[in-house]
Amino acid sequence: MPELPEVESLAAFLRAHATGHAIARADAASFSVLKTFDPPLTSLAGQVITAVGRQGKFLDISTDQGLHLIIHLARAGWLRWREDLPSAPPKPGKSPLAFRLALEDGSGFDLTEQGTHKRLAVYLVHDPAEVPGVATLGPDPLAADFTADTLADLLSGRRMQVKGVLRDQHSIAGIGNAYSDEVLHAAKMSPFKIAASMTPDDVAVLYDAMKTTLTEAVERSAGLAAADLKGEKKSGLRVHGRAGQACPVCGDTIREVSFADSALQYCPSCQTNGKPLADRRLSRLLK
Ligand SMILES: [Zn+2]
């Protein structure tokens, strides 16, 4: 899933390529992708893109008529920029193509989504706050006013594992399963640590790890073409998706805890005093 650094880079890419251009047309290629019906997509024709921003993991494309095209790529969605977009509108069907936006100069982008669970979402609204997922976003961790005190307030009193708080979009905007693993590895902290139990020193370490990890990921992917971002994300991750490989910090074997529909990865030596975390699924299988 694209998280804050990738969505930030996609926004920068679109800012460079699409700002100042008029929209020729926008088409949904599947019935489920468009979550709003008024204003209709046809109203975008002729409107000029004035800005492209990011809100958490949402892309926000603004036009000169005050509309916002908001995109959430979900778990398996991606944006593919094309200098020569096919001129025919997309046909609804079983292809991964979910949405197409064509600019008047012939360029534009496709939104694609692999797999059978279609979660990619597009909204056309007058105000981003009309999108429920945007309205309820917590503060952005890369914002200048997100301080260590902001993080301390978010964690205090929460009887919840720190991994869960980090990826809860209502608490902090933009961090998902991959970067929460990365932040906790950089902080040398167990993903199961209870937020409410953290000392001021713990919070300071977590804060630095969060800012550094996200800033470095944004810098690594800055200037990359949309097509290259996925590969960059994978190669830049130290523990996420790397179970069985050696930790790049200490050389211990990276381990995994599996859940119903996701998994987390961590380094026991760096994060849990060498002790493996309980993997309920695994222990159930062994009984
Ligand atoms: Zn390690």
PDB file of all heavy atoms in Angstrom, residues 256-271:
ATOM      1  N   GLU A 256       8.579 -12.394  12.042  1.00  0.00           N
ATOM      2  CA  GLU A 256       7.273 -11.931  11.587  1.00  0.00           C
ATOM      3  C   GLU A 256       6.196 -12.370  12.571  1.00  0.00           C
ATOM      4  O   GLU A 256       6.300 -13.418  13.183  1.00  0.00           O
ATOM      5  CB  GLU A 256       7.027 -12.574  10.217  1.00  0.00           C
ATOM      6  CG  GLU A 256       5.662 -12.347   9.630  1.00  0.00           C
ATOM      7  CD  GLU A 256       5.646 -12.775   8.161  1.00  0.00           C
ATOM      8  OE1 GLU A 256       5.998 -11.948   7.307  1.00  0.00           O
ATOM      9  OE2 GLU A 256       5.303 -13.941   7.892  1.00  0.00           O
ATOM     10  N   VAL A 257       5.175 -11.545  12.744  1.00  0.00           N
ATOM     11  CA  VAL A 257       3.971 -11.943  13.464  1.00  0.00           C
ATOM     12  C   VAL A 257       2.821 -11.800  12.472  1.00  0.00           C
ATOM     13  O   VAL A 257       2.652 -10.735  11.870  1.00  0.00           O
ATOM     14  CB  VAL A 257       3.697 -11.061  14.704  1.00  0.00           C
ATOM     15  CG1 VAL A 257       2.418 -11.524  15.420  1.00  0.00           C
ATOM     16  CG2 VAL A 257       4.875 -11.096  15.666  1.00  0.00           C
ATOM     17  N   SER A 258       2.047 -12.893  12.298  1.00  0.00           N
ATOM     18  CA  SER A 258       0.974 -12.882  11.311  1.00  0.00           C
ATOM     19  C   SER A 258      -0.375 -12.616  11.956  1.00  0.00           C
ATOM     20  O   SER A 258      -0.651 -13.095  13.053  1.00  0.00           O
ATOM     21  CB  SER A 258       0.898 -14.228  10.598  1.00  0.00           C
ATOM     22  OG  SER A 258       2.117 -14.492   9.969  1.00  0.00           O
ATOM     23  N   PHE A 259      -1.197 -11.846  11.269  1.00  0.00           N
ATOM     24  CA  PHE A 259      -2.576 -11.602  11.690  1.00  0.00           C
ATOM     25  C   PHE A 259      -3.488 -12.083  10.559  1.00  0.00           C
ATOM     26  O   PHE A 259      -2.999 -12.543   9.532  1.00  0.00           O
ATOM     27  CB  PHE A 259      -2.782 -10.122  11.980  1.00  0.00           C
ATOM     28  CG  PHE A 259      -1.811  -9.580  12.989  1.00  0.00           C
ATOM     29  CD1 PHE A 259      -0.655  -8.929  12.585  1.00  0.00           C
ATOM     30  CD2 PHE A 259      -2.028  -9.778  14.351  1.00  0.00           C
ATOM     31  CE1 PHE A 259       0.256  -8.453  13.508  1.00  0.00           C
ATOM     32  CE2 PHE A 259      -1.111  -9.305  15.285  1.00  0.00           C
ATOM     33  CZ  PHE A 259       0.028  -8.642  14.866  1.00  0.00           C
ATOM     34  N   ALA A 260      -4.788 -11.947  10.752  1.00  0.00           N
ATOM     35  CA  ALA A 260      -5.734 -12.467   9.763  1.00  0.00           C
ATOM     36  C   ALA A 260      -5.426 -11.940   8.356  1.00  0.00           C
ATOM     37  O   ALA A 260      -5.378 -12.698   7.403  1.00  0.00           O
ATOM     38  CB  ALA A 260      -7.158 -12.119  10.172  1.00  0.00           C
ATOM     39  N   ASP A 261      -5.206 -10.629   8.248  1.00  0.00           N
ATOM     40  CA  ASP A 261      -5.032 -10.099   6.887  1.00  0.00           C
ATOM     41  C   ASP A 261      -3.781  -9.237   6.745  1.00  0.00           C
ATOM     42  O   ASP A 261      -3.679  -8.439   5.822  1.00  0.00           O
ATOM     43  CB  ASP A 261      -6.276  -9.321   6.455  1.00  0.00           C
ATOM     44  CG  ASP A 261      -6.509  -8.118   7.352  1.00  0.00           C
ATOM     45  OD1 ASP A 261      -5.857  -8.047   8.415  1.00  0.00           O
ATOM     46  OD2 ASP A 261      -7.320  -7.255   6.993  1.00  0.00           O
ATOM     47  N   SER A 262      -2.863  -9.377   7.680  1.00  0.00           N
ATOM     48  CA  SER A 262      -1.603  -8.639   7.535  1.00  0.00           C
ATOM     49  C   SER A 262      -0.534  -9.334   8.364  1.00  0.00           C
ATOM     50  O   SER A 262      -0.799 -10.320   9.049  1.00  0.00           O
ATOM     51  CB  SER A 262      -1.775  -7.192   8.004  1.00  0.00           C
ATOM     52  OG  SER A 262      -1.957  -7.150   9.399  1.00  0.00           O
ATOM     53  N   ALA A 263       0.674  -8.798   8.308  1.00  0.00           N
ATOM     54  CA  ALA A 263       1.774  -9.335   9.106  1.00  0.00           C
ATOM     55  C   ALA A 263       2.700  -8.187   9.440  1.00  0.00           C
ATOM     56  O   ALA A 263       2.791  -7.219   8.689  1.00  0.00           O
ATOM     57  CB  ALA A 263       2.527 -10.401   8.323  1.00  0.00           C
ATOM     58  N   LEU A 264       3.342  -8.281  10.607  1.00  0.00           N
ATOM     59  CA  LEU A 264       4.356  -7.279  10.924  1.00  0.00           C
ATOM     60  C   LEU A 264       5.705  -7.970  10.997  1.00  0.00           C
ATOM     61  O   LEU A 264       5.802  -9.160  11.287  1.00  0.00           O
ATOM     62  CB  LEU A 264       4.020  -6.555  12.237  1.00  0.00           C
ATOM     63  CG  LEU A 264       4.085  -7.299  13.572  1.00  0.00           C
ATOM     64  CD1 LEU A 264       5.513  -7.439  14.100  1.00  0.00           C
ATOM     65  CD2 LEU A 264       3.251  -6.559  14.605  1.00  0.00           C
ATOM     66  N   GLN A 265       6.757  -7.219  10.722  1.00  0.00           N
ATOM     67  CA  GLN A 265       8.106  -7.740  10.807  1.00  0.00           C
ATOM     68  C   GLN A 265       8.926  -6.880  11.763  1.00  0.00           C
ATOM     69  O   GLN A 265       8.677  -5.676  11.884  1.00  0.00           O
ATOM     70  CB  GLN A 265       8.766  -7.752   9.419  1.00  0.00           C
ATOM     71  CG  GLN A 265       8.221  -8.823   8.477  1.00  0.00           C
ATOM     72  CD  GLN A 265       6.975  -8.385   7.737  1.00  0.00           C
ATOM     73  OE1 GLN A 265       6.807  -7.216   7.435  1.00  0.00           O
ATOM     74  NE2 GLN A 265       6.073  -9.326   7.443  1.00  0.00           N
ATOM     75  N   TYR A 266       9.876  -7.531  12.447  1.00  0.00           N
ATOM     76  CA  TYR A 266      10.673  -6.824  13.444  1.00  0.00           C
ATOM     77  C   TYR A 266      11.967  -7.592  13.646  1.00  0.00           C
ATOM     78  O   TYR A 266      12.087  -8.765  13.256  1.00  0.00           O
ATOM     79  CB  TYR A 266       9.907  -6.734  14.771  1.00  0.00           C
ATOM     80  CG  TYR A 266       9.732  -8.084  15.428  1.00  0.00           C
ATOM     81  CD1 TYR A 266      10.537  -8.485  16.492  1.00  0.00           C
ATOM     82  CD2 TYR A 266       8.802  -8.992  14.934  1.00  0.00           C
ATOM     83  CE1 TYR A 266      10.412  -9.743  17.068  1.00  0.00           C
ATOM     84  CE2 TYR A 266       8.670 -10.260  15.494  1.00  0.00           C
ATOM     85  CZ  TYR A 266       9.466 -10.619  16.543  1.00  0.00           C
ATOM     86  OH  TYR A 266       9.345 -11.869  17.085  1.00  0.00           O
ATOM     87  N   CYS A 267      12.937  -6.935  14.286  1.00  0.00           N
ATOM     88  CA  CYS A 267      14.199  -7.588  14.611  1.00  0.00           C
ATOM     89  C   CYS A 267      14.228  -7.851  16.113  1.00  0.00           C
ATOM     90  O   CYS A 267      14.196  -6.903  16.909  1.00  0.00           O
ATOM     91  CB  CYS A 267      15.377  -6.707  14.226  1.00  0.00           C
ATOM     92  SG  CYS A 267      16.930  -7.339  14.897  1.00  0.00           S
ATOM     93  N   PRO A 268      14.287  -9.137  16.554  1.00  0.00           N
ATOM     94  CA  PRO A 268      14.285  -9.424  17.989  1.00  0.00           C
ATOM     95  C   PRO A 268      15.460  -8.763  18.724  1.00  0.00           C
ATOM     96  O   PRO A 268      15.266  -8.180  19.791  1.00  0.00           O
ATOM     97  CB  PRO A 268      14.377 -10.952  18.059  1.00  0.00           C
ATOM     98  CG  PRO A 268      13.853 -11.425  16.744  1.00  0.00           C
ATOM     99  CD  PRO A 268      14.240 -10.364  15.745  1.00  0.00           C
ATOM    100  N   SER A 269      16.656  -8.817  18.166  1.00  0.00           N
ATOM    101  CA  SER A 269      17.812  -8.237  18.878  1.00  0.00           C
ATOM    102  C   SER A 269      17.672  -6.731  19.035  1.00  0.00           C
ATOM    103  O   SER A 269      17.977  -6.173  20.085  1.00  0.00           O
ATOM    104  CB  SER A 269      19.113  -8.545  18.141  1.00  0.00           C
ATOM    105  OG  SER A 269      19.429  -9.899  18.278  1.00  0.00           O
ATOM    106  N   CYS A 270      17.214  -6.050  18.001  1.00  0.00           N
ATOM    107  CA  CYS A 270      17.093  -4.596  18.059  1.00  0.00           C
ATOM    108  C   CYS A 270      15.884  -4.150  18.881  1.00  0.00           C
ATOM    109  O   CYS A 270      15.908  -3.084  19.493  1.00  0.00           O
ATOM    110  CB  CYS A 270      16.955  -4.000  16.655  1.00  0.00           C
ATOM    111  SG  CYS A 270      18.453  -4.015  15.660  1.00  0.00           S
ATOM    112  N   GLN A 271      14.793  -4.932  18.866  1.00  0.00           N
ATOM    113  CA  GLN A 271      13.530  -4.395  19.359  1.00  0.00           C
ATOM    114  C   GLN A 271      12.926  -5.090  20.580  1.00  0.00           C
ATOM    115  O   GLN A 271      12.116  -4.484  21.277  1.00  0.00           O
ATOM    116  CB  GLN A 271      12.482  -4.417  18.230  1.00  0.00           C
ATOM    117  CG  GLN A 271      12.836  -3.507  17.061  1.00  0.00           C
ATOM    118  CD  GLN A 271      11.863  -3.634  15.913  1.00  0.00           C
ATOM    119  OE1 GLN A 271      12.160  -4.255  14.909  1.00  0.00           O
ATOM    120  NE2 GLN A 271      10.684  -3.061  16.058  1.00  0.00           N
TER     121      GLN A 271
END
